[in-house]
Amino acid sequence: MKGVNDFFRKVNDAEKMKRYLSDHSSSIKIYCFFLLLVFIFYHLFSDGDFSFLLTLSSVISMFSFLMVFLKIEMNKSCAGVSLKMMECYVVLNTSRLISIVPFEGYLPYDKSGDWLYQLVEAVSLFINCCIVYLCRYKYKNTYDSNNDIFNNLFLIIPAFVIAIFVHPSLNSFLPADVAWSFALYLESVCVLPQLSMFQKEGKVAAFTTHFLASQAFSKCHTKN
């Protein structure tokens, strides 16, 4: 409530509101672009079917990755970003693409399942790889490896083992069904390295909180 009250106080103060909009202009533009994108996708590709929520979830997730990438490039720094988490996302997006590109069992039923859903997942993978590259190479001097110490193999390996034994069979092809389940299980825990990093650093970067909020919001659509 405090944050909401602070925002409304800024709205009532024209000068503070102007300064707020100026300081957050890039984020506001990104959010406006995202809302426009969702509006276009919904009207062009949705048949009003609930399965579009799966595509919407992927679009929101892609948007959150894009925000992180742009913030890193604008700040010329990957401080506050967990490389271990992003590596998990690279693994799970790759696994998900394996299960949906040559198969149709886990695709949305509406028109977005023809190619849009797959494209969004592929773009997400590309952005994730770019973020990993920025953290490992381009801005490696700004990456806080001392606080990003959560071993992501402790997430990847158990998720894969569980997927082998517990998985649906909508693709009627074991490797693809396991790949879908593996991505789903890993996605539910892959933010833990970032949360661990928050705890170690004792501070939270604003854009990473936006990222986590967007990821959580996208998962709500997946569950629905």
Side-chain angles (χ1 to χ4, degrees):
M1 288 298 296
K2 182 180 178 181
V4 175
N5 291 333
D6 289 342
F7 174 77
F8 279 109
R9 277 198 294 269
K10 290 176 181 177
V11 170
N12 294 328
D13 189 318
E15 187 61 32
K16 288 184 178 180
M17 188 60 185
K18 184 178 179 180
R19 187 163 58 251
Y20 177 85
L21 293 175
S22 176
D23 293 341
H24 298 82
S25 60
S26 59
S27 296
I28 292 172
K29 289 176 183 177
I30 293 173
Y31 275 110
C32 289
F33 173 75
F34 165 71
L35 292 174
L36 177 62
L37 199 64
V38 170
F39 179 80
I40 293 173
F41 282 171
Y42 179 79
H43 284 278
L44 290 181
F45 300 104
S46 174
D47 298 330
D49 192 279
F50 278 111
S51 64
F52 180 74
L53 292 177
L54 188 60
T55 303
L56 178 59
S57 171
S58 293
V59 172
I60 295 172
S61 183
M62 179 189 70
F63 162 74
S64 67
F65 294 127
L66 180 61
M67 284 195 66
V68 173
F69 173 78
L70 292 177
K71 283 295 184 180
I72 291 176
E73 281 292 4
M74 286 189 293
N75 297 335
K76 307 298 181 185
S77 170
C78 57
V81 177
S82 171
L83 172 62
K84 303 295 180 64
M85 176 185 69
M86 290 302 171
E87 289 174 341
C88 284
Y89 275 111
V90 168
V91 172
L92 77 86
N93 278 326
T94 301
S95 182
R96 180 167 291 148
L97 281 171
I98 290 173
S99 67
I100 64 174
V101 171
F103 304 98
E104 299 182 354
Y106 301 100
L107 296 177
Y109 294 127
D110 61 6
K111 289 185 292 185
S112 67
D114 293 341
W115 59 271
L116 178 62
Y117 177 61
Q118 300 92 318
L119 176 64
V120 171
E121 288 292 335
V123 172
S124 293
L125 174 60
F126 175 75
I127 298 173
N128 288 335
C129 290
C130 290
I131 294 173
V132 170
Y133 168 77
L134 295 179
C135 292
R136 280 195 173 275
Y137 301 104
K138 189 173 182 179
Y139 302 122
K140 64 179 181 180
N141 293 332
T142 65
Y143 167 58
D144 188 3
S145 59
N146 293 326
N147 287 316
D148 192 19
I149 59 175
F150 194 107
N151 191 339
N152 51 17
L153 290 178
F154 291 150
L155 304 177
I156 295 172
I157 294 175
F160 182 71
V161 172
I162 295 172
I164 292 175
F165 294 101
V166 183
H167 59 266
S169 55
L170 296 181
N171 280 335
S172 300
F173 183 62
L174 181 61
D177 291 322
V178 170
W180 173 266
S181 299
F182 171 53
L184 194 64
Y185 298 151
L186 182 57
E187 192 171 35
S188 66
V189 295
C190 64
V191 299
L192 291 180
Q194 184 69 68
L195 297 178
S196 174
M197 192 173 184
F198 285 163
Q199 187 178 33
K200 293 289 183 181
E201 290 182 334
K203 60 181 179 180
V204 179
F207 71 94
T208 51
T209 59
H210 283 283
F211 169 80
L212 293 177
S214 298
Q215 286 294 323
F217 187 59
S218 72
K219 301 307 166 287
C220 290
H221 286 83
T222 302
K223 298 302 180 185
N224 289 335

